[in-house]
Amino acid sequence: MTALADYQITRKWPAQHPERLQLYSLPTPNGVKVSILLEELGLPYEPHLVNFATNDQLTPEFMSLNPNNKIPAIIDPDGPGGQPLALFESGAILVYLAEKTGRFIPADAHGRYQTLQWVMFQMGGIGPMFGQLGFFHKFAGKDYEDKRPRDRYVAESKRLLGVLNHHLAGREWLMGDEFTIADIATFPWINNLVGFYGAGELVGFDEFTEVQRVLKTFVARPAVARGLHIPARPAA
């Protein structure tokens, strides 16, 4: 039987509570998806900061868990059949935790697959496009004289926001009255776009009143407010 201590990653990030789910992450839009869901679920877990400033994500210990060297990743010591389960990719982790607990994903097949389609919409569209926009607006790409790459991602980000805005009209959440992992996947990225990236004016965020409405409700949830800052970043 595999034990938590058998995982190489625990040599760099020892578990103080090996009976709890282990989260290896950083409070980025992808990282906080999992901490938010864990806070919403109330599952006991132990967060470990993967510090990009010191290239923790490139260490052999972290890459033994995720060879793609991206956060978040987890080890659930109480996985299927009572065996530990290691997972990376935020979308896969959201689906796993939702199905493990039977929460934040509809039980009926129609609702389940419709929820998954919006998770995939975020994974395949919102995350990559908003991330590229952030690079060209806030980070090194902002210094490029040629603004065509930035404008391409601005246009696509606006289109994606328009899709969400249209869908959310008359709905409390992406799946209607039910708060699901589709919302947990999506709204950290929107919060980051207008907050950390400071790109609200660039994408005309004021036009997307339905998205604004739901984002405001999302960040007001106590579990979301906590999860947005887990794991805590090192003091400056």
Side-chain angles (χ1 to χ4, degrees), residues 37-61:
L37 179 56
L38 286 166
E39 288 293 318
E40 290 279 0
L41 291 168
L43 285 178
Y45 70 102
E46 183 175 352
H48 303 277
L49 178 73
V50 181
N51 192 346
F52 286 6
T54 52
N55 289 323
D56 282 353
Q57 75 279 16
L58 300 177
T59 60
E61 292 85 357

Side-chain angles (χ1 to χ4, degrees), residues 50-113:
V50 181
N51 192 346
F52 286 6
T54 52
N55 289 323
D56 282 353
Q57 75 279 16
L58 300 177
T59 60
E61 292 85 357
F62 185 77
M63 292 184 67
S64 71
L65 186 59
N66 184 358
N68 195 34
N69 62 270
K70 303 292 184 183
I71 57 93
I74 66 167
I75 302 175
D76 182 0
D78 183 27
Q83 293 292 307
L85 175 67
L87 279 180
F88 62 87
E89 283 295 333
S90 59
I93 297 170
L94 291 184
V95 174
Y96 167 68
L97 291 173
E99 293 191 339
K100 173 186 173 79
T101 59
R103 296 180 63 196
F104 303 113
I105 190 167
D108 66 287
H110 284 84
R112 179 179 182 275
Y113 285 114

Side-chain angles (χ1 to χ4, degrees), residues 94-171:
L94 291 184
V95 174
Y96 167 68
L97 291 173
E99 293 191 339
K100 173 186 173 79
T101 59
R103 296 180 63 196
F104 303 113
I105 190 167
D108 66 287
H110 284 84
R112 179 179 182 275
Y113 285 114
Q114 288 172 351
T115 301
L116 292 177
Q117 78 179 351
W118 286 106
V119 173
M120 301 306 168
F121 176 81
Q122 183 278 306
M123 298 291 293
I126 286 177
M129 295 301 106
F130 286 14
Q132 292 292 344
L133 175 54
F135 173 79
F136 284 103
H137 180 61
K138 184 178 177 68
F139 297 110
K142 71 181 186 301
D143 298 323
Y144 293 4
E145 184 175 346
D146 186 349
K147 297 304 179 186
R148 287 176 295 180
R150 184 204 67 179
D151 292 346
R152 168 182 170 82
Y153 293 115
V154 168
E156 182 62 5
S157 295
K158 291 180 72 171
R159 188 190 71 80
L160 293 168
L161 286 167
V163 172
L164 288 174
N165 203 65
H166 177 77
H167 177 74
L168 287 168
R171 292 180 171 91

Side-chain angles (χ1 to χ4, degrees), residues 15 25 31 34 50 154 177 213:
S25 191
V34 178
V50 181
V154 168
D177 293 337
R213 170 183 60 82

